[in-house]
Amino acid sequence: MRLGGFAHAVGSAEANTFDASLQVVLPKFLADNYGWWNFLNPHTYVGGMFNTGGRTSSVRAGLLWQIPFTERFFGEIFFGGAYHDGSKVGDATHNALGSRALFNVGGSIGYRFTPQWSVLVTFDHLSNGKEVFGTGFDRNVGINNYGAQVSYAF
């Protein structure tokens, strides 16, 4: 279970607002005993970013890979999908996102205090992938969020 706070849509029309996040990260697909290459075995995540200033909020789900650097420091990368309540065409206070369904990608650097408690610094990006995947949507401003999360493992 993760709780976090994020600077919302930095550098865009939706900037200067704040997101609260809630995320559940499920156990890995396979047993956790495959040696050094175990980081290839992903977790599933579900959660949401909820904007406190009336801008774009989203729910999301996908796969998350955790990469240990040391016993306490680790990195994460994630890729999934999201559904948002923001604008598809944009206006003075909302980014033009092009479609309701978006890609969700990003990464984190984390520190594990105990086997249960960790803290993470996270970059989170929402996009319709126009330039990369040629989705055909006219607009694709995207949203970049920067923040921190506290994680508790059950």
Side-chain angles (χ1 to χ4, degrees), residues 2-13:
R2 294 179 178 178
L3 296 172
F6 286 78
H8 177 80
V10 174
S12 74

Side-chain angles (χ1 to χ4, degrees), residues 1 3 6 17 35 66 81 99 101 113 137:
M1 178 75 65
L3 296 172
F6 286 78
T17 62
Q66 201 169 76
S99 66
F113 293 99
F137 296 108

Side-chain angles (χ1 to χ4, degrees), residues 18-62:
F18 177 79
D19 285 347
S21 72
L22 174 64
Q23 186 177 57
V24 175
V25 178
L26 300 173
K28 291 184 175 190
F29 287 143
L30 305 171
D32 198 14
N33 60 358
Y34 293 101
W36 67 268
W37 59 275
N38 189 53
F39 72 90
L40 296 174
N41 184 11
H43 293 269
T44 302
Y45 70 90
V46 295
M49 290 270 199
F50 309 101
N51 188 265
T52 61
R55 305 288 166 50
T56 303
S57 294
S58 63
V59 293
R60 62 271 304 283

